[in-house]
Each structure stands twice: as C-alpha cells, then as structure tokens.
Amino acid sequence: MITPDRIVTTTCPYCGVGCNLELHVKDDHIFKVTSPFDSPVNHGNLCVKGRFGYDYVYHPKRVTVPMVRRYLLDDRPLTIDRSQFPSSIVNGPSSSDWVETYWDTALNIVADNLVKIYKRDGSDAMAVYACAKATNEDNYLLQKMYRAIFRTNNVDHCTRLCHAGSVVALQQAVGSSAMSNTASQVLQNDVFIVTGSNTTENHPIIALQMKEAVRKHGAKMIVVDPRRIELVDFAELWLPLKPGTNVPVFSAMAHVIVKENLVNWDFVKSRTEGSAEFIESLEKFTPEYAEQISGVPAGDIRKGARLYANAKNAAIYWGMGISQLSHGTASAMALIHLAFLTGHVGRDGTGLNPLRGQNNVQGASDMGCMPFHYPGYMRVDNEANAAKWEQAWNVPAGGLSRKLGLTTTEILSHAHAQAGGIRALYIMGENPMMSEPNLNETRKHMEQLEFLVAQDIFLNESAAFADVFLPATPFAEKDGTFSNTDRRVQRVRAAHPPRGQARVDWQIICDLALRLESRLGLDSAKWDYSTPEQILREMADVNPDYAGVTYDRIDKIGLIYPVPDLTHPGTPTLFTESFPRGLGKFHPLDYVPAMESVDDEYPFILTTGRVLEHWHGGSMTRNSSLDEAFPEARVEIHPADADIHGIRNGDPVKVQSRRGEVVLRATVTEKTTVGVVFIPFHFVEAAANLLTNDALDPQAKIPEFKACAVQIFPAREDELENPEAVVKRGRY
Ligand SMILES: Nc1nc2c(c(=O)[nH]1)N[C@H]1C(S)=C(S)[C@@H](COP(=O)(O)OP(=O)(O)OC[C@H]3O[C@@H](n4cnc5c(=O)[nH]c(N)nc54)[C@H](O)[C@@H]3O)O[C@H]1N2
Ligand SMILES: Nc1nc2c(c(=O)[nH]1)N[C@H]1C(S)=C(S)[C@@H](COP(=O)(O)OP(=O)(O)OC[C@H]3O[C@@H](n4cnc5c(=O)[nH]c(N)nc54)[C@H](O)[C@@H]3O)O[C@H]1N2
Ligand code: SF4
Ligand SMILES: [Mo]
C-alpha cells in the first residue's frame, strides 16, 4: 500500500461531464485516481479515462523544453518550405530541425515574428486557436491577447467542429446556446430522446444516469441513431435512421404531434412565435415520406412522437450526429421545434440538452474564444459591448475591432503564403491535422502559413508544422477553473509542479503579451496577474453570468451559471419564465440531403466518431496506458455487407472516398446498420479525416463529419500501416 503525500481534488481533463477527481500523489507523481462519493456530478463514479487515463502527464514523449527550428536561431529568413514535409501525416519535418532553447529565446522569436507580420500585413493576417482542454483563465487571456493587442476577432476553437450547428439553431430559436437543464435531471424525465449521442462511450457518467432513469425510475428512452449503440439495450424504441436524415425524421414527429392534436397550445401561444407558418410547413413531412428517406418505419416515428408528446416531463439529449452535418443547424432546429410544440422546456426534468464534448468547451466559449463574441456572448459588432471590454482591457476607445472574425475552418482555408489572408497562426492545444475534415486539403492550408506557433504538451501532428513549440502544462500541473456541460464552474488544482521547464498556459500568454506590447509601444499594464483567480475576477466583473463566481464559493462544489451576484445559488434550469430572445421562434425547415450521396462507385455511407478509450487525435490517450485497451483503428461493417464483399472479422480492408484512402482492419458487427460503416478518428495510422468531406453547414460553418460516400476493398496485411513501425519511427 502506498501512502499518498497528499490527495488533490480537481476536475477530469477529458469530457464535458466534468467528473470530480481525487489525485493520490506521492513524490510529485500521481499514482492513483479516485472520486468523492458526495460529488453532485459523478457521485464517486468514473469512466476508464478519468480513472486510468492520467499517465500521459508522464509520457516520455511529452515536450517540456521550448523548441524552435534551427533556421530561426541561425537568423535566416523564414524560408521554410512546408510542402517539402514528408507526405505521410504521421511525420512532420525531421526532428533534427528542432533545437531546444531557453524560454526567453523562444518567446522573443515568437514576439518578433508575430509583430513583424502584424506590422506588415495588419490585423487580418493574425489568427489564434484556443483550447477547450485548458482552463477558463488560460482561454480568457488568449483571446484578450489577440483582441487587445492584434485588434482581431480571428479567434475560434474546436467548438466550431463540434456543436456549432446546435449553437446557431439555439441562438436563433431561443437566444442562448448552453444546455437548458443539467444532465442529472434525466432522473426526473418520464420520457427522453437520445439522438446522435453515443452517450455510453462519450459521456459515460451521464449514460449511467440515463440507465438509472430507465431501470430505477421507469423512464422511457427513445434512441434515434444509425448505429445500434449500447443505450439501445435500455430503450423503449430505437429509430435507426440513415446518416443525414434527421430533419425528415424529427419533422415527421412534429407532423404527428400536430395531426394527432398532442400540441401544448398554452405553451405555443404564450411562449413562441411563428407557429402558424411552421405548422403549415409540416404538411409534407408525413411519417411515410420520412420513412422513404430515412429508412425508419413510419409506425415507429408515430410511436416516438406520441411517447414524447404525452409525457409529463420529457427532454432531448443530443450530440454530434445532429450537429456535424452540412445541415447541422436545421437538424438541431428540428429538435427545438419538438420542445416548443410540447412545452417540454423551461421546467425541471425537461429541456434542450446538447451534451458538450470537451472538459472545457463550454468555458472556452463563455470566455469569448469565438469570432463573433466577447466573453459572455456579447457580440463584437455591438458598440456598447466593445466599449465595456475596451475599458476592462485598457484599450483606447474605438481600438477593438468591430469586424466579425473568421471561424476555425475559415482561418485555415484563408491561410496564404503571400499577402492577403491569414499569415500567422497561434495554436494553443488543438490538433487540426487530425481533427479537421479532408486532411489532404488541411495539409495544403497548413503549408501556406508563414509563421506557426504551437503551445501544447505533445508535439502533435499539427505542431509538426510549427516554427516554435511552447511547452505548456496539462491539468495536473495547473490551477484554475473548467465549466462543464451543466454550466457548472469547477476548480482545477495542481497535483505537483510542472515537469521540466513546462509553464502554465496563462503564464506563457502573459509573458508573451508583455513582449508584444513593448515591441508595439503599447502599455495596458494589464498582464501582471499573480493568481488565476485575479484573471477570473477581471472577466467576471464584466460578464454577468459569472459575476457571483469566486474560488472561495466553488472550493468544494461548483456553481452553475448564470450566477448574477455573490449570494446567488446558481441556475440549474433555464428559460423558466421566458427565453433570452423573448418568445421562442419556430423556423420552417426543408429537407436537404447530405452533400454526398452513395452511388455505384462509392456505395457506403461513412460515419465517424469515437470510442470509449480514446480521445480525438490521440495526443493524450494514445500516449497513455489506455492505448493498450484499444490499440488499433477498426472500421465497423455490418455482416450483410461484409458477406457480399467477402470480408471477415479482422481482415485488412482499404476504405476509399473521393478525397483519400486508409487501410485498417474490419470489425464485422451488427452495431452498424446495412450500408453504413463507422471509423473512429483517433488513429493517425488510418486517419478517418483523410476520407471525410469538408462541405460546411452554410450558417454554422461546421463540417459534414457524419456522412460521406466511400468504397471498401479487401486489402493485404502489408498494406496496413504497421503500428509498431509507427512507434519506432516516433509517432510525432
Ligand atoms: N471517449 C471519448 N469521449 C468523448 C470524446 C472522445 O474523443 N472520446 N470527445 C468528446 C467530444 S469533444 C464530443 S463533441 C463528444 C461527442 O459525443 P457524441 O456526440 O456521442 O460522439 P460521436 O461518436 O461523434 O457521434 C455520436 C453518434 O452520432 C451518430 N450519428 C451519425 N450520423 C448521424 C445522423 O445523421 N443522425 C443521428 N441522429 N445520429 C447520427 C453515431 O452513430 C454516433 O452514435 O464526446 C466527448 N467525449
Ligand atoms: N472525423 C471526425 N472529426 C472530428 C470529429 C468527429 O466526430 N469526426 N469531431 C470534432 C470535434 S467534436 C472536436 S471537439 C474536435 C477536437 O479536435 P481538437 O481540439 O483538435 O483535438 P484534441 O486532440 O482534443 O486536441 C487537444 C490538444 O490539446 C493538448 N492539451 C491537452 N491539455 C492541454 C493544456 O492544458 N494546455 C495546452 N496548451 N494543450 C493541452 C493535447 O495534447 C492535444 O494536442 O475534433 C473534431 N473532428
Ligand atoms: S465521464 Fe468524462 S469527466 Fe467523467 S471520468 Fe469519464 S472522461 Fe472524465
Ligand atoms: Mo467536440
């Protein structure tokens, strides 16, 4: 038995559930993780990532010394030709190009080059990706640095690839985009819909509560998902729709609710607008029409509509199967309509709940790491908002840009080697070379950049393209706050000092900001924080949602924002009296198919997503012991399809789309439906995003990760990218 030197309570760095952790530390090393039984979030439960996934902190590949490219030290001009990088996305330029250096040298090089480009090409040449893994404090300062110093709103982060469709739809329909209720209110639901969310693998502790709702409280669950995910075993009804057919299925449910007079007219009349036109638009969405398009039997659509509408308390929980489509906004809108028609929103045990993915994607959005909003969702093109932040940041009146910035996907597609477009990019903790769609295209954009800074804990596939690498610290080495999917602001606490020379993100930013200001002759005097709490305070003094959040108040249990003052207890349920935009607004919809439909050449629909043991591009989990639990990429294919192609379980296959191909082993399983194959996007050896379509939702600019057309061929063993070879060569 090891006796810990100390037990540090903190928040899980993986998913948006925000489980509370107890880190058992001995000799400045975490050796065990447990969880407090009295945590209101996870009640002592943890999934495999929270429990065992922390050892990436100690992985030998972690970079803990600043690094710059040799040509920068030689003081040669920036002549790097990124197109000369090896064609495999596994490797960037050879590691011998990197030189370890002092912080001073690295930060001066960053400051000199950013200032040079800014002075020459102006604000529009500058852009930054924020990090939904980092704290609120880190993210607040990063967007402040770009807005206050470079006067640009080209700030975005992975929320764009994630719930952007949900955010736009919710903003248009209700005027607020967070979850309306908390996840644990599922225990108060009589009926709930889970759609486009593989909750068991991606929000495991919320899935536990969903199962508890069914098994202990008699709730009825309706799963709407093309795959036979584990929750189907607990469901009253499963609607296995074809990928990309959300709008007809949910609009047909609305059609049934209207035709069978299951509408909550009191709610529709008093709380919404635009219902007459909307109801007219439903005429075409008969369940039979939806069946033709989606493959879901009309009778089951009727049954689902009745269950949801007749419930006393019903809620909808959704994930990426709704938002990651070229009609992601319309898909989310179709769900919102169901809640409006039935009045299942604005009370405990009801709600519109887009489950947030990253541990702090809610927080990074709240902190203004988005191109249209300052912290607190204040539009950047509004004079009064701009004036507030100019005052807070000591920027002269009129100094902040009122121009809407570019989104994540636009920032890369606007990258240009010559004048015009984005020239310099700063990436704090993201990995676009794994997470963007159509990686062959992404790669070309990365090659165009004149100057790229990566601030991460690993030299990931994107940092392999960088000029400078700044080693940050992971959650276990920093203090601050994360905001989870419930809007609960919780403490993050350091278990031990940073490894090597790694530095906390917010401290790197302050150090760099001072160097930028001195080179540009600015003197805001606003970068001298001694604790992260001072940073949160500065933000909370202007952002009313966080006004009442102090480190003292969230010492043991987090607070659910809005917390408008220092005595307010927090707000688990939103929209009880009205919506932020006043009345909820219906938006009539049309069915628009996915951008790519199947044909003889590409007869399967590929849908991509996640598995329990891994995280996104794998920087963290593939550098942890979790990799042994799920060591290689697999494509899931239905037995009927496998039979036709003569594919057996474990056979290597080549999956090809119009944009690229990968070779990986097949898992023959009924978890996927006929005609649909599934690949998780965690594995660099068979990166799913080489195949995916970069078509965007026109409003939300979110890519169509959930549906593209592919062909499958048998392949040979020697065509597999041998994982062992990858390890030997160095994954990064
Ligand atoms: N283990 C693990 N957990 C994670 C993550 C991780 O990488 N690994 N990432 C986190 C992040 S950032 C996020 S955003 C969440 C994502 O969590 P989820 O949204 O649960 O993630 P996905 O696996 O991408 O896709 C969810 C489901 O969408 C379904 N689907 C595909 N196409 C359609 C469609 O057209 N309509 C409908 N209705 N469903 C469809 C898929 O079958 C799949 O079951 O997970 C978070 N949690
Ligand atoms: N095909 C396909 N592609 C997808 C999706 C899909 O479903 N299918 N889902 C999309 C979604 S929903 C998302 S959210 C994106 C995610 O895409 P990304 O955000 O690009 O992915 P991550 O791997 O989570 O990147 C996080 C990085 O932060 C680093 N990091 C961890 N902690 C810290 C820290 O404290 N500080 C700093 N500076 N760095 C840190 C990690 O090492 C890692 O490199 O992927 C998107 N891409
Ligand atoms: S459910 Fe999410 S927050 Fe909880 S332990 Fe697992 S990854 Fe961490
Ligand atoms: Mo996400």
Side-chain angles (χ1 to χ4, degrees):
M1 268 287 282
I2 306 174
T3 313
D5 297 335
R6 56 188 177 277
I7 296 178
V8 177
T9 55
T10 190
T11 306
C12 180
Y14 283 105
C15 90
V17 178
C19 292
N20 299 167
L21 307 181
E22 295 162 333
L23 308 178
H24 297 241
V25 185
K26 172 94 179 158
D27 299 333
D28 284 346
H29 193 107
I30 304 166
F31 66 90
K32 184 169 87 172
V33 174
T34 55
S35 172
F37 283 93
D38 54 358
S39 152
V41 177
N42 52 314
H43 310 280
N45 296 309
L46 290 174
C47 84
V48 69
K49 292 181 294 301
R51 176 76 176 81
F52 299 111
Y54 57 87
D55 53 339
Y56 68 89
V57 171
Y58 311 111
H59 195 277
K61 288 219 173 118
R62 199 181 138 194
V63 183
T64 58
V65 180
M67 298 196 303
V68 300
R69 297 287 184 185
R70 192 173 296 283
Y71 55 81
L72 289 167
L73 290 178
D74 295 349
D75 209 22
R76 276 188 273 137
L78 280 177
T79 50
I80 187 164
D81 179 359
R82 283 167 228 275
S83 64
Q84 294 306 305
F85 293 174
S87 64
S88 160
I89 61 158
V90 177
N91 285 317
S94 85
S95 53
S96 63
D97 291 348
W98 285 111
V99 186
E100 294 188 346
T101 188
Y102 301 105
W103 272 106
D104 232 22
T105 311
L107 289 174
N108 282 336
I109 288 176
V110 173
D112 286 344
N113 283 286
L114 291 181
V115 165
K116 184 181 85 187
I117 294 171
Y118 171 63
K119 279 190 171 162
R120 191 191 62 211
D121 296 339
S123 303
D124 291 349
M126 316 301 288
V128 63
Y129 284 171
C131 175
K133 287 260 156 271
T135 62
N136 287 324
E137 294 75 6
D138 299 331
N139 280 295
Y140 169 76
L141 285 192
L142 187 69
Q143 59 86 40
K144 172 176 160 178
M145 177 164 78
Y146 266 68
R147 290 199 157 110
I149 297 180
F150 292 131
R151 311 284 160 92
T152 179
N153 291 312
N154 293 336
V155 184
D156 207 358
H157 70 291
C158 65
T159 188
R160 188 67 42 199
L161 309 176
C162 188
H163 263 301
S166 319
V167 167
V168 171
L170 283 164
Q171 286 287 355
Q172 288 176 358
V174 303
S176 152
S177 55
M179 269 181 31
S180 67
N181 296 55
T182 60
S184 59
Q185 288 186 28
V186 70
L187 298 177
Q188 293 161 269
N189 295 160
D190 303 306
V191 171
F192 59 98
I193 297 176
V194 179
T195 181
S197 159
N198 180 6
T199 326
T200 316
E201 301 202 59
N202 300 325
H203 294 89
I205 301 306
I206 295 178
L208 280 185
Q209 291 174 332
M210 289 174 167
K211 293 176 203 171
E212 187 183 340
V214 170
R215 297 184 62 155
K216 292 209 180 132
H217 303 277
K220 294 194 162 68
M221 169 163 57
I222 303 168
V223 174
V224 187
D225 198 294
R227 298 167 66 219
R228 195 180 195 293
I229 54 172
E230 193 236 20
L231 283 183
V232 171
D233 293 342
F234 298 80
E236 178 80 9
L237 188 63
W238 172 38
L239 308 185
L241 79 180
K242 289 201 183 99
T245 62
N246 296 308
V247 170
V249 170
F250 293 113
S251 299
M253 283 175 69
H255 176 104
V256 173
I257 289 169
V258 169
K259 289 287 166 193
E260 301 192 1
N261 203 16
L262 306 174
V263 176
N264 179 340
W265 287 111
D266 282 347
F267 188 90
V268 170
K269 284 191 188 122
S270 62
R271 296 286 305 267
T272 70
E273 61 182 334
S275 59
E277 197 194 338
F278 168 69
I279 287 174
E280 218 171 284
S281 77
L282 286 178
E283 211 47 53
K284 57 183 176 287
F285 288 109
T286 62
E288 285 68 24
Y289 167 74
E291 173 174 347
Q292 258 175 27
I293 297 171
S294 68
V296 180
D300 286 348
I301 295 178
R302 290 200 164 82
K303 197 169 158 197
R306 290 172 195 144
L307 269 172
Y308 175 78
N310 285 325
K312 187 159 164 279
N313 289 323
I316 310 176
Y317 303 87
W318 76 88
M320 297 299 101
I322 294 298
S323 60
Q324 288 176 338
L325 292 158
S326 57
H327 57 269
T329 305
S331 296
M333 195 65 87
L335 296 176
I336 297 169
H337 290 153
L338 291 178
F340 282 178
L341 282 178
T342 55
H344 286 318
V345 62
R347 284 174 288 122
D348 292 353
T350 66
L352 287 165
N353 298 311
L355 299 174
R356 289 301 145 119
Q358 297 259 33
N359 57 317
N360 198 32
V361 64
Q362 186 64 57
S365 306
D366 300 342
M367 295 307 113
C369 292
M370 293 192 302
F372 308 157
H373 297 102
Y374 295 119
Y377 303 92
M378 304 182 190
R379 291 275 300 194
V380 295
D381 51 1
N382 173 297
E383 266 318 302
N385 294 341
K388 277 187 204 155
W389 291 104
E390 278 161 357
Q391 198 185 3
W393 298 338
N394 223 351
V395 171
L400 291 178
S401 167
R402 271 65 168 163
K403 188 171 142 188
L404 302 184
L406 298 174
T407 62
T408 295
T409 34
E410 289 170 336
I411 285 171
L412 270 184
S413 62
H414 282 69
H416 284 304
Q418 270 71 47
I422 300 294
R423 312 291 299 276
L425 177 61
Y426 194 116
I427 305 181
M428 173 169 95
E430 291 220 339
N431 193 4
M433 277 306 296
M434 285 295 286
S435 55
E436 290 271 327
N438 193 359
L439 287 178
N440 286 320
E441 222 21 60
T442 309
R443 184 190 159 74
K444 288 186 199 144
H445 297 317
M446 295 287 281
E447 289 167 2
Q448 293 286 310
L449 291 166
E450 179 177 333
F451 190 65
L452 175 63
V453 183
Q455 177 170 316
D456 206 288
I457 52 181
F458 289 102
L459 192 57
N460 63 21
E461 288 74 7
S462 313
F465 286 78
D467 298 279
V468 179
F469 184 91
L470 304 176
T473 62
F475 84 113
E477 297 170 357
K478 67 166 105 177
D479 284 286
T481 56
F482 292 158
S483 302
N484 80 351
T485 191
D486 289 339
R487 294 174 273 111
R488 190 186 290 272
V489 190
Q490 307 194 97
R491 275 305 310 270
V492 178
R493 292 185 184 84
H496 50 63
R499 286 297 193 255
Q501 295 171 36
R503 293 178 69 188
V504 178
D505 286 288
W506 69 262
Q507 288 173 343
I508 303 174
I509 297 164
C510 289
D511 199 340
L512 177 61
L514 285 171
R515 288 165 207 258
L516 294 171
E517 288 207 340
S518 82
R519 280 164 178 74
L520 290 167
L522 302 171
D523 182 19
S524 73
K526 284 278 192 173
W527 300 99
D528 58 345
Y529 312 93
S530 42
T531 64
E533 185 166 20
Q534 292 172 348
I535 304 169
L536 191 83
R537 224 28 286 144
E538 178 182 302
M539 184 277 308
D541 282 347
V542 188
N543 175 3
D545 283 349
Y546 280 68
V549 179
T550 63
Y551 277 24
D552 223 19
R553 291 192 72 195
I554 60 171
D555 187 48
K556 293 234 152 35
I557 294 176
L559 275 169
I560 298 178
Y561 82 76
V563 191
D565 61 56
L566 290 169
T567 54
H568 194 280
T571 318
T573 303
L574 297 179
F575 318 143
T576 48
E577 303 297 325
S578 67
F579 294 110
R581 76 176 292 284
L583 294 174
K585 189 166 171 32
F586 284 99
H587 290 74
L589 300 172
D590 283 317
Y591 165 58
V592 181
M595 285 293 175
E596 225 175 31
S597 47
V598 294
D599 54 23
D600 287 348
E601 212 181 336
Y602 297 100
F604 291 97
I605 305 178
L606 167 71
T607 187
T608 62
R610 301 157 164 81
V611 298
L612 172 70
E613 296 83 355
H614 279 299
W615 199 264
H616 299 161
S619 311
M620 293 157 73
T621 50
R622 298 209 67 205
N623 288 321
S624 86
S625 45
L626 292 173
D627 200 36
E628 282 160 42
F630 202 122
E632 67 167 347
R634 292 280 186 141
V635 52
E636 290 178 3
I637 178 167
H638 192 273
D641 290 327
D643 260 5
I644 298 170
H645 286 67
I647 295 165
R648 286 159 314 166
N649 199 29
D651 281 356
V653 295
K654 180 188 285 178
V655 184
Q656 193 177 63
S657 80
R658 289 192 171 80
R659 292 154 296 277
E661 58 182 46
V662 297
V663 179
L664 71 180
R665 285 183 203 284
T667 294
V668 178
T669 169
E670 287 180 358
K671 189 171 174 185
T672 187
T673 35
V674 175
V676 177
V677 296
F678 170 82
I679 305 181
F681 74 107
H682 312 298
F683 299 88
V684 69
E685 313 86 278
N689 277 326
L690 286 166
L691 307 172
T692 49
N693 192 348
D694 45 357
L696 300 180
D697 176 293
Q699 291 162 289
K701 312 278 166 106
I702 188 171
E704 191 138 71
F705 288 124
K706 287 290 180 270
C708 76
V710 296
Q711 175 59 294
I712 299 192
F713 310 95
R716 296 186 314 273
E717 287 283 328
D718 64 356
E719 288 179 274
L720 287 166
E721 170 97 39
N722 182 346
E724 260 179 37
V726 175
V727 172
K728 264 198 231 121
R729 196 168 62 224
R731 220 171 74 72
Y732 298 136

